[in-house]
Amino acid sequence: MGSRSDAPQRSDAQRNRERILEVALAELSRSPDAPLSVIAKKAGVGQGTFYRNFPNREALVLEVHRHEVRQLTDSAEELVRTREPDRALREWMDGLAHFAMAKSGLADALRQATSATGGPARPGYSLVVAAIGTLLDANHEAGTIRPGVTPDDFILAIAGIWQIDPEGDWRTQSTRLLDIVMDGLRAGAPGRA
């Protein structure tokens, strides 16, 4: 399904859209019923600009989620190009934890949007799995993690991050949990002494 968001935009229009998405993430994470007029006002755009980009709440919520998923998944390729494979994987895991904490606040709004549109229950999931596959493949090739770890294995191993309270000290908790997972992935790696 194509949308206006698929067409190239002028730089000021793109900045407006980015501001709307940034404010919407914060506001919808606080309250899934945040008024769209409040989001537009805090983003510094008029109602016409807002509704030209996002004709309804569901479109906004789904695009906020897609935007967050895109940032997360695009970062995997960049990290693989610029870091050692195991460092890339561990840094990406930190990004995933941040994503999980943002998504926990957005979860109610996302559930409402996907049930209202009949959309997929886990939009963007295949992109996340592909990013994990990219990172794991680079690590398998370098011998920095144990052989045979699949994206499904990885997802099950890190599932605890979705249990962390985003209102608490989530950074410390997620760092500890993900360090433990990374140590487990490195155990038995052929490239380790």
Side-chain angles (χ1 to χ4, degrees), residues 8-20:
Q9 294 182 323
R10 295 184 338 250
S11 61
D12 60 332
Q14 184 60 35
R15 281 191 302 273
N16 286 340
R17 185 175 177 75
E18 293 292 323
R19 270 197 319 276
I20 293 168

Side-chain angles (χ1 to χ4, degrees), residues 22-130:
E22 182 181 314
V23 170
L25 174 62
E27 293 301 312
L28 292 169
S29 292
R30 280 193 275 281
S31 170
D33 299 317
L36 299 182
S37 59
V38 169
I39 294 170
K41 184 175 181 179
K42 287 187 176 185
V45 300
Q47 294 293 317
T49 298
F50 183 90
Y51 285 105
R52 227 181 347 272
N53 281 281
F54 306 103
N56 55 46
R57 175 177 298 280
E58 291 77 23
L60 174 64
V61 170
L62 290 172
E63 186 56 28
V64 166
H65 180 70
R66 267 188 226 105
H67 181 72
E68 291 293 298
V69 167
R70 246 183 271 117
Q71 287 183 322
L72 177 68
T73 57
D74 289 352
S75 71
E77 288 288 340
E78 175 67 19
L79 288 167
V80 165
R81 277 194 312 273
T82 61
R83 309 282 194 281
E84 292 297 320
D86 57 340
R87 192 70 242 147
L89 178 59
R90 184 60 187 84
E91 285 184 37
W92 190 84
M93 291 164 70
D94 285 335
L96 181 63
H98 185 269
F99 172 81
M101 294 305 104
K103 189 174 184 235
S104 73
L106 190 62
D108 288 338
L110 188 58
R111 265 191 296 282
Q112 289 173 8
T114 55
S115 66
T117 62
R122 298 188 295 181
Y125 182 76
S126 63
L127 295 174
V128 173
V129 171

Side-chain angles (χ1 to χ4, degrees), residues 154-164 177:
F154 179 84
I155 290 166
L156 289 171
I158 55 110
I161 63 174
W162 278 273
Q163 302 306 311
I164 296 172
L177 175 68

